Amino acid sequence: MHAANHRSDAQALFDRREIEKPLDALQRIWGYPDFRGKQADVIQHVMTGNDALVLFPTGKGKSLCFQLPGVCMPGVTVVISPLVALMRDQVDELRALGIEAECLWSQQSEEESRSARSKLRAGKLKLIYVTPERAVLPGFSDLFGNVPISLIAIDECHCVSSWGHNFRKDYLGLGKLKELYPGVPRIALTATADPHTRDDIIRQLQLDDAAVFVDSFDRPNITYHIAERDNARTQLLRFLQRHDGSSGIVYCLSRRKVEETAEWLNKQGIKARAYHAGMDPGVKADNQDAFRMEEDLCLVATVAFGMGINKPNVRYVAHLDLPSSVEGYYQETGRAGRDGLPSEAFMIYGMQDIVQRQRMIDEGDATDEIKRIERAKLNALLGICETAGCRRKAILSHFGEAAPARCGNCDTCKNPVETWDGSDASIKALAGVYRTGERFGAAHVIDVLHGKVTERTKKFGHDRLAVFGVGKELSVHAWQSVFRQLLALGYIRVAHDEYGALKLEPSAHGVFKKDVAVILRRDTIDTVRKRERGKPVVAATRAGLAPENDKLFQALRAERLAISKSLGVAPYVVFPDTTLIAFATIRPTTEQQMLSISGVGATKFARYGEQFMAIIVEHFGN
Ligand code: ADP
Ligand code: ZN
């Protein structure tokens, strides 16, 4: 390896144009007409021998930022990836494009491993995927013989930070790469939007000299919808029925709930499978594989199911429980719609989620400092759940990004929520908490406000309090909403060391004294339900496809499935949905027309072009 001279070598080759121009390679191999966002800048930067930190949201096309340099530069690009499933997916995709790529992982068969290593030494590979622990193993560089390493890519680089989610101990060792391979450019990539984690990545990976490329974290094709829990299963079913025929993920907090929900969905006629860390490894792998291969499967999972998902056509992500934080919510919902087609993020939550989550924090064995951070994270998330404004704006501003006041593509923008001056109601609610001695949960306080004579109200003499019966003007449901919002706004908290009793926070004073007005959102559970019921059931996969092209689209989809099964790869490896939609709309029947469609490169055309054209010709005029 002549690593030390690498920077100047790369520049010289680039200047002499011995390397294929990136745009030419993009069009010839990937069949994409142009780069997206900042891809071209990143690629130019690393191909001239410099380090880069790439912070793009999911779906913006991070992989291309190292795959394309890997193809164009002399030598081999090493890609470090945390999960075998991810590595194999990408290798499948690269091979489908006619690019020589392999991966090395511990449980690989001896034969596969030997074949990969001999291709590597012979200089036949453009990219090699490895796990983080292997990359820093002594003797790793011996595997390459005389073949130079062109670039080192560290994918999912947020795994190096114990701040964010998905911390992986073996990522910590990757800081050594700088000394181990001096002069070899490094590119680290992540979809993590949290500034604290970013700083940590730079420090841990010694990327001080790297240029940082940040793209907007907005995911405009994802519709956000957060609803109050009414009847969770009915709400979920109604949501899933709108997505009939496409794939998505349903997140639950506990393993048991995952199993029960999956079983129940199957009984309702929705094809569902379960996924969580406690499952038999064989079944787990099988279910994950089914999710990759099938186009209409609902995967019910805990957050253990996450990073390994490369599938571009995940059409929806539903949360049946509150996620851990805004970061978690953003990451999990971000798994929808990588292909840029319309997708939906749906969450239902209620008072119980807040109580449960606060209990988990309080009863955990973290330090007080960490607990304080976790509470702040929970409150930030509740703020997004309870906002009367645009959800997208709230999410983006959490990450420090400016956004227009209204996105037009979230529930609160589509059905603006009414707000009301809840100052008087809040005073009653807070007085109810105070007068009952800050020893009870919302249910009992609501009984008191309603003037309901129960065993408890009698036993504690609460039927003799001045607040007894002062809140009859609001329903139980409306009072629950008031308490939830008071929690989200930080006027009260739940004390878990006292069986979930509500306590006043110091800021409640201002409400009592009428220093602050408490503006609350009016819950729209009923109106949302009515509106949704009337919506036609259209599989979002076919979004933007005219009805007269649907038959052709289905035929093309069937062909793709047959090819993918015969090759043992996921359907999107053959062609993504976006390309099939373009086939069905534009109906190319010549090589030239076919190659002009995004996603059709030279290799894919040579392999599958005729087959798909034959179907188009057959359907032509139908
Ligand atoms: P990320 O890793 O950032 O989530 P991917 O690399 O998986 O995103 O890319 C998302 C999708 O966008 C993939 O299907 C990919 O092939 C496609 N894509 C990437 N770059 C381009 C481009 N320049 N033009 C068209 N499609 C692209
Ligand atoms: Zn909005």
Side-chain angles (χ1 to χ4, degrees):
M1 233 184 324
H2 314 287
N5 293 326
H6 186 88
R7 218 167 279 242
S8 49
D9 285 355
Q11 183 68 60
L13 282 165
F14 201 69
D15 291 344
R16 293 202 307 269
R17 301 192 181 257
E18 280 176 29
I19 301 179
E20 183 175 15
K21 276 221 235 89
L23 185 61
D24 293 342
L26 181 78
Q27 292 171 347
R28 180 177 64 85
I29 302 171
W30 277 267
Y32 295 148
D34 214 338
F35 287 111
R36 239 192 225 163
K38 300 187 177 171
Q39 282 176 332
D41 298 340
V42 177
I43 288 167
Q44 163 79 22
H45 186 77
V46 298
M47 282 181 67
T48 43
N50 305 296
D51 295 344
L53 173 60
V54 174
L55 307 160
F56 290 178
T58 306
K60 267 279 163 83
K62 281 184 288 299
S63 331
L64 202 80
C65 295
F66 56 83
Q67 289 175 344
L68 194 142
V71 171
C72 294
M73 293 162 87
V76 59
T77 285
V78 177
V79 185
I80 296 160
S81 177
L83 288 177
V84 173
L86 275 181
M87 301 200 280
R88 296 172 74 190
D89 253 17
Q90 287 208 8
V91 168
D92 278 351
E93 285 182 273
L94 289 168
R95 286 187 186 153
L97 294 168
I99 299 166
E100 291 290 344
E102 288 284 354
C103 54
L104 291 174
W105 49 292
S106 51
Q107 270 139 40
Q108 201 169 24
S109 76
E110 186 50 41
E111 193 189 321
E112 268 183 326
S113 160
R114 202 176 318 119
S115 142
R117 280 185 285 176
S118 79
K119 280 192 214 162
L120 177 61
R121 276 180 161 273
K124 286 191 182 140
L125 298 183
K126 293 315 298 177
L127 295 109
I128 181 110
Y129 285 71
V130 300
T131 50
E133 58 277 16
R134 189 183 285 251
V136 291
L137 228 52
F140 176 67
S141 60
D142 300 342
L143 290 179
F144 296 78
N146 290 321
V147 180
I149 298 180
S150 50
L151 175 68
I152 298 175
I154 305 166
D155 206 2
E156 310 288 354
C157 65
H158 59 275
C159 291
V160 78
S161 171
S162 52
W163 262 98
H165 43 279
N166 300 324
F167 171 61
R168 296 260 316 230
K169 233 183 177 160
D170 36 17
Y171 259 66
L172 279 178
L174 297 178
K176 278 189 282 187
L177 288 170
K178 186 175 175 155
E179 281 99 54
L180 286 174
Y181 302 97
V184 178
R186 291 172 303 147
I187 176 172
L189 310 98
T190 177
T192 292
D194 165 23
H196 202 114
T197 309
R198 291 178 193 179
D199 295 343
D200 214 19
I201 293 169
I202 294 177
R203 211 179 45 246
Q204 301 286 2
L205 293 179
Q206 304 195 33
L207 282 168
D208 320 82
D209 298 332
V212 182
F213 297 86
V214 190
D215 211 327
S216 163
F217 273 77
D218 187 18
R219 302 288 315 279
N221 60 317
I222 298 180
T223 308
Y224 296 102
H225 185 172
I226 302 178
E228 188 189 349
R229 180 177 297 113
D230 175 19
N231 179 328
R233 286 192 166 175
T234 315
Q235 287 172 294
L236 177 66
L237 198 60
R238 211 179 290 130
F239 173 76
L240 293 181
Q241 279 162 351
R242 290 222 310 275
H243 289 278
D244 188 29
S246 43
S247 276
I249 308 168
V250 174
Y251 281 114
C252 303
L253 202 57
S254 73
R255 295 171 183 186
R256 193 168 140 201
K257 189 162 168 184
V258 163
E259 303 254 354
E260 288 172 356
T261 307
E263 199 185 315
W264 180 78
L265 284 176
N266 280 309
K267 285 195 189 124
Q268 305 306 309
I270 289 180
K271 204 163 100 185
R273 292 209 192 195
Y275 186 101
H276 60 72
M279 281 169 83
D280 170 80
V283 179
K284 201 170 81 174
D286 210 41
N287 288 357
Q288 170 154 9
D289 218 42
F291 186 67
R292 282 174 64 232
M293 303 296 284
E294 294 175 27
E295 301 185 87
D296 55 354
L297 186 69
C298 171
L299 198 83
V300 188
T302 59
V303 289
F305 185 65
M307 264 193 317
I309 315 163
N310 220 10
K311 188 175 171 121
N313 55 345
V314 174
R315 289 275 72 86
Y316 61 85
V317 170
H319 282 91
L320 294 190
D321 297 296
L322 205 58
S324 62
S325 59
V326 183
E327 289 80 3
Y329 177 68
Y330 178 81
Q331 286 298 324
E332 284 141 32
T333 55
R335 286 162 193 149
R338 254 171 206 258
D339 54 11
L341 293 173
S343 308
E344 243 186 307
F346 179 59
M347 171 163 104
I348 44 183
Y349 93 111
M351 185 81 169
Q352 226 16 62
D353 293 78
I354 307 176
V355 173
Q356 186 186 15
R357 186 54 53 84
Q358 291 199 338
R359 183 182 321 122
M360 283 166 67
I361 297 172
D362 290 348
E363 291 175 355
D365 42 18
T367 61
D368 284 352
E369 170 66 4
I370 301 271
K371 283 185 180 177
R372 201 182 53 75
I373 293 168
E374 287 184 349
R375 275 191 209 105
K377 283 189 168 185
L378 174 62
N379 287 341
L381 181 65
L382 293 180
I384 288 168
C385 295
E386 293 293 345
T387 183
C390 171
R391 308 268 191 215
R392 190 179 311 277
K393 183 177 172 58
I395 294 167
L396 290 173
S397 70
H398 178 83
F399 297 125
E401 195 176 318
R406 293 272 166 199
C407 74
N409 194 21
C410 71
D411 57 339
T412 55
C413 282
K414 287 182 170 179
N415 301 309
V417 246
E418 263 179 65
T419 54
W420 57 294
D421 185 346
S423 303
D424 288 338
S426 299
I427 291 174
K428 289 180 185 178
L430 296 172
V433 171
Y434 183 69
R435 293 290 167 198
T436 51
E438 301 182 70
R439 290 170 56 210
F440 299 88
H444 178 71
V445 180
I446 293 172
D447 280 348
V448 172
L449 294 173
H450 265 180
K452 197 167 156 193
V453 181
T454 66
E455 225 168 89
R456 273 184 143 191
T457 53
K458 277 195 296 191
K459 179 175 162 196
F460 294 101
H462 291 164
D463 51 350
R464 297 193 305 272
L465 294 175
V467 288
F468 191 73
V470 295
K472 288 182 180 154
E473 71 280 14
L474 295 182
S475 67
V476 173
H477 176 244
W479 277 118
Q480 281 169 343
S481 161
V482 170
F483 279 102
R484 229 180 32 241
Q485 295 186 67
L486 289 174
L487 273 167
L489 292 167
Y491 293 120
I492 46 177
R493 70 184 164 88
V494 181
H496 289 291
D497 37 2
E498 296 177 42
Y499 308 102
L502 295 176
K503 303 270 177 193
L504 298 188
E505 289 285 61
S507 57
H509 261 297
V511 179
F512 278 127
K513 290 198 301 188
K514 298 212 171 191
D515 285 348
V516 285
V518 186
I519 303 300
L520 300 177
R521 57 178 272 154
R522 206 181 288 286
D523 274 307
T524 48
I525 194 160
D526 295 317
T527 51
V528 168
R529 196 185 304 156
K530 255 181 251 142
R531 275 172 211 248
E532 276 177 8
R533 210 173 273 153
K535 273 194 189 166
V537 180
V538 178
T541 315
R542 276 161 268 161
L545 194 69
E548 65 269 24
N549 296 330
D550 194 55
K551 216 169 126 193
L552 174 54
F553 177 70
Q554 295 308 334
L556 296 167
R557 219 178 165 198
E559 178 70 15
R560 175 177 69 174
L561 191 64
I563 296 174
S564 84
K565 284 206 166 134
S566 73
L567 298 174
V569 298
Y572 57 81
V573 168
V574 178
F575 281 125
D577 285 356
T578 43
T579 302
L580 289 200
I581 289 173
F583 283 173
T585 313
I586 300 166
R587 305 180 174 188
T589 50
T590 64
E591 174 172 354
Q592 204 190 1
Q593 288 170 348
M594 200 89 182
L595 284 171
S596 73
I597 285 176
S598 180
V600 188
T603 301
K604 284 196 177 175
F605 176 77
R607 286 184 191 164
Y608 320 119
E610 296 292 340
Q611 276 158 277
F612 283 95
M613 278 199 294
I615 293 171
I616 294 165
V617 169
E618 199 179 299
H619 274 72
F620 202 70
N622 280 4

